Amino acid sequence: MRIWLDGALRDVDSATVSVLDHGLTVGDGVFETLKTERGRAFALTRHLERLTRSARGLGLPDPDLDEVRRACAAVLEAEPVEHGRLRVTYTGGLAPLGSDRGDAAPTLIAAVAASPRRPDTTAVVTVPWVRNERSAVAGLKTTSYAENVVALAAAHRAGASEALLANTVGRLCEGTGSNVFVVLDGELHTPPLESGCLAGITRALVVEWAGAKETDLPFEALEQAEEVFVTSSLRDAQAVVRLDGRELGTGPGPVTAEVMRIFQVKAGADLDP
């Protein structure tokens, strides 16, 4: 594997960052994960715009997007995979131990690896932990990911691929690494950004392309939903066929199947929508 680190491609053994990097010591960093197809990244411009928004939300300098594009192109050329996961990480760089930042430049890393295509269906669970919609980092894609690791591990122990969370006032929010959509009375809904969920790239495209409504919903809406699906850059739209102990069918429902069809057509026609 070849990795872009601070201006150059490096072998994986030499692509190292300091133990004093603020992204390691306190999670002071942001990142993006992109789907790649035949050596090309999907929705790169939208991901770079969100990377900048997240960096600004943490108070980091704006990333040099020309360099980020060079980094992505370099690792994609060095690691030609049919279907992959491209990760861009941008941290606060070298800093003293503690929460204060240092004067060093931020660290930029880009890497790509092969990733299997997701199945059309999956199982999810709900968990007792919540998203804090009033957090200083609500809606930012930061490297402070420990709560997602804990919730996702709980989902795996229950035989599911994702965990869904409410926010602090009991409203439906998101998954650990996905957005959630529900069908109620035949209409497609997803929680608004005010719920504290991430402004997912795939979420935004589904809202635009399939006409989903952004609706403030109680967490219990999951119990009444006729269909549920989750979205992310690597999942696209993925039907939920088991939610906790409730079976929702053996395959995508009619609304979900149509969303999946629309997304495949639209994404296939424009690599950078």
Side-chain angles (χ1 to χ4, degrees), residues 38-52:
R38 295 178 293 280
R40 301 178 68 190
F42 178 69
L44 179 59
T45 298
R46 287 179 184 251
H47 279 282
L48 296 188
E49 290 172 350
R50 189 174 65 183
L51 184 73
T52 300

Side-chain angles (χ1 to χ4, degrees), residues 65-78:
L65 297 188
D66 288 336
E67 182 184 1
V68 178
R69 286 182 180 273
R70 287 194 300 272
C72 292
V75 295
L76 286 170
E77 182 178 359

Side-chain angles (χ1 to χ4, degrees), residues 82-169:
E82 181 67 17
H83 186 263
R85 174 198 298 261
L86 171 62
R87 175 166 170 138
V88 177
T89 306
Y90 182 71
T91 79
L94 289 175
L97 292 175
S99 298
D100 290 328
R101 291 195 176 111
D103 297 324
T107 300
L108 175 65
I109 304 165
V112 66
S115 178
R117 295 183 183 277
R118 61 98 178 98
D120 286 344
T121 63
T122 194
V124 304
V125 295
T126 57
V127 289
W129 307 293
V130 298
R131 283 283 191 259
N132 180 3
E133 72 282 1
R134 298 177 65 188
S135 165
V137 296
L140 306 181
K141 197 168 179 67
T142 78
T143 58
S144 300
Y145 229 59
E147 66 177 14
N148 292 321
V149 172
V150 171
L152 186 58
H156 290 333
R157 289 194 298 271
S161 76
E162 180 60 302
L164 300 182
L165 301 98
N167 63 16
T168 65
V169 290

Side-chain angles (χ1 to χ4, degrees), residues 4 21 64 147 180 183 211:
W4 181 280
D21 191 286
D64 181 341
E147 66 177 14
V180 59
V183 178

